[in-house]
Amino acid sequence: DADSPMLTTLEDLLGEGLPNNVAILNDEYVPQAIHGAFLYLKDGTIAKQMVNLLTKTPLEELKASPILLTTRGLYNTIATDAKVSILTPGIVSSSWSLLQHKCTIN
């Protein structure tokens, strides 16, 4: 129904919205990559850079590893935007906050 909390956006829950961009770092099994479960961008700058990466990448490379290319490409794009060489969880710059994904098998 229209009043369901499942229809509430993350931005609605936080009132004024998130203070900066947010991404999730992948676990240690896929280092230097962004997890695709959640990505919040305050503007279209990073999205435009990722579209540029995808359109300039040779088709054979895209066929070989599309997910790894995008998750690592996004990691490098965010690192460049945040002006750091290695991304770590927490507030990375005035424009980026990073969370850490952990995968466990019980």
Side-chain angles (χ1 to χ4, degrees), residues 62-76:
L62 284 172
K63 287 180 183 179
S65 59
I67 294 174
L68 197 54
L69 172 73
T70 55
T71 60
R72 290 222 168 119
L74 184 55
Y75 179 98
N76 293 332

Side-chain angles (χ1 to χ4, degrees), residues 19-98:
N20 49 19
N21 301 304
V22 179
I24 300 174
L25 295 169
N26 220 328
D27 59 30
E28 64 268 9
Y29 301 109
V30 187
Q32 294 185 327
I34 298 297
H35 193 277
F38 177 79
L39 179 64
Y40 179 83
L41 302 172
K42 292 290 281 185
D43 64 35
T45 305
I46 297 297
K48 288 177 188 173
Q49 290 177 36
M50 288 305 297
V51 168
N52 192 32
L53 170 71
L54 291 172
T55 58
K56 291 187 175 186
T57 300
L59 183 58
E60 292 307 312
E61 189 176 340
L62 284 172
K63 287 180 183 179
S65 59
I67 294 174
L68 197 54
L69 172 73
T70 55
T71 60
R72 290 222 168 119
L74 184 55
Y75 179 98
N76 293 332
T77 302
I78 291 170
T80 299
D81 188 61
K83 297 174 180 55
V84 297
S85 58
I86 296 175
L87 297 175
T88 56
I91 298 174
V92 178
S93 70
S94 61
S95 61
W96 281 99
S97 294
L98 300 174

